[in-house]
Amino acid sequence: MDMNQYLSMFIDESNDHLQSLNESMMGLEANPEDISIVQVIFRSAHTLKGMAATMGFEDLASLTHQMENVLDLVRNNKLRMQDFIFDTLFKSLDALESMVQDITAGGEGKADVTAIVSALQAIVRGEIPAAGGAASAPAAAQSSAELQITLDEFQYSVLDQSLQEGHQYCILTWQSARTVSSKQYGHIWFLISWSVQEKWSNPSLRFRI
């Protein structure tokens, strides 16, 4: 069977499934106990695996199969979602996106996903690293007094103006529990604004993922 005639359809449907997977994963991250979301993710991964296998993209099919194994445990209440699992699944989606992009560009969708597959298999075996391991200890041990902050000229001028007008300021730090992918989340940003025309400070914090 000549698969070239189906390639365009495969790419379109793969991108649709990847978008659905990304959106569902973010929904699951906000509601990690919602098994109905896991079911949606599992079905999308299963469909993508079948499509990839049919088209002969074995690396893509193999990775989605490993994802299925993890998701199957979660949807059957044999495994609870946690940071390491989220991180590994998001990395899997990044890899899948790269594979589909390669196929779109005329490639074979090949990628070295050995580390991701090993992590997924470890999760299935129950070998999940404890949160806040030794590797993160030095960062956690850093005191607030040691925190170094670098401001550019514009940021410094805004801060200086606020201080001259009698406003107070504080230092906010934010630390992610896992590595955040810009492909999944877009840009993470926050903005603190002061109402400099009023007699009192009215800080507002906006955070978007």
Side-chain angles (χ1 to χ4, degrees):
M1 181 185 296
D2 183 9
M3 292 299 178
N4 290 329
Q5 59 182 319
Y6 299 107
L7 183 59
S8 178
M9 181 184 300
F10 167 79
I11 292 172
D12 289 342
E13 293 190 8
S14 294
N15 284 323
D16 288 343
H17 280 291
L18 287 171
Q19 181 177 351
S20 174
L21 284 165
N22 283 321
E23 293 173 353
S24 296
M25 278 295 299
M26 286 188 284
L28 182 62
E29 194 170 32
N31 301 280
E33 304 297 328
D34 193 337
I35 299 300
S36 66
I37 301 178
V38 181
Q39 297 284 12
V40 172
I41 297 171
F42 180 89
R43 287 195 296 270
S44 285
H46 181 74
T47 302
L48 186 57
K49 180 191 74 172
M51 291 166 46
T54 300
M55 295 294 295
F57 299 121
E58 296 300 328
D59 284 5
L60 204 157
S62 177
L63 180 55
T64 48
H65 176 67
Q66 298 298 332
M67 292 174 63
E68 270 188 312
N69 291 339
V70 172
L71 294 165
D72 188 54
L73 293 176
V74 177
R75 69 174 183 155
N76 287 298
N77 294 308
K78 296 180 180 179
L79 180 68
R80 297 187 66 179
M81 294 298 298
Q82 50 187 281
D83 291 335
F84 180 75
I85 300 176
F86 276 116
D87 190 36
T88 304
L89 289 175
F90 275 118
K91 288 178 180 177
S92 300
L93 292 182
D94 277 345
L96 292 175
E97 287 183 351
S98 295
M99 291 178 185
V100 173
Q101 289 172 2
D102 180 63
I103 294 169
T104 303
E108 298 180 356
K110 298 289 186 180
D112 183 4
V113 292
T114 305
I116 299 175
V117 168
S118 296
L120 291 168
Q121 291 174 340
I123 292 170
V124 172
R125 294 193 302 268
E127 301 170 3
I128 302 174
S136 61
Q142 183 184 38
S143 69
S144 58
E146 297 171 335
L147 184 63
Q148 299 294 319
I149 297 178
T150 302
L151 300 179
D152 61 30
E153 185 176 350
F154 173 75
Q155 292 168 332
Y156 183 83
S157 66
V158 172
L159 178 60
D160 184 57
Q161 179 183 357
S162 297
L163 291 173
Q164 289 181 19
E165 295 182 2
H167 299 302
Q168 296 181 336
Y169 74 95
C170 63
I171 298 173
L172 299 179
T173 61
W174 175 76
Q175 181 176 0
S176 173
R178 59 174 179 79
T179 302
V180 180
S181 167
S182 62
K183 289 183 180 178
Q184 310 298 333
Y185 289 97
H187 296 289
I188 296 177
W189 57 270
F190 67 87
L191 172 66
I192 300 177
S193 61
W194 284 268
S195 176
V196 296
Q197 294 181 352
E198 299 182 26
K199 294 182 179 180
W200 49 274
S201 178
N202 181 24
S204 62
L205 176 65
R206 291 187 289 170
F207 178 75
R208 177 171 68 86
I209 290 181

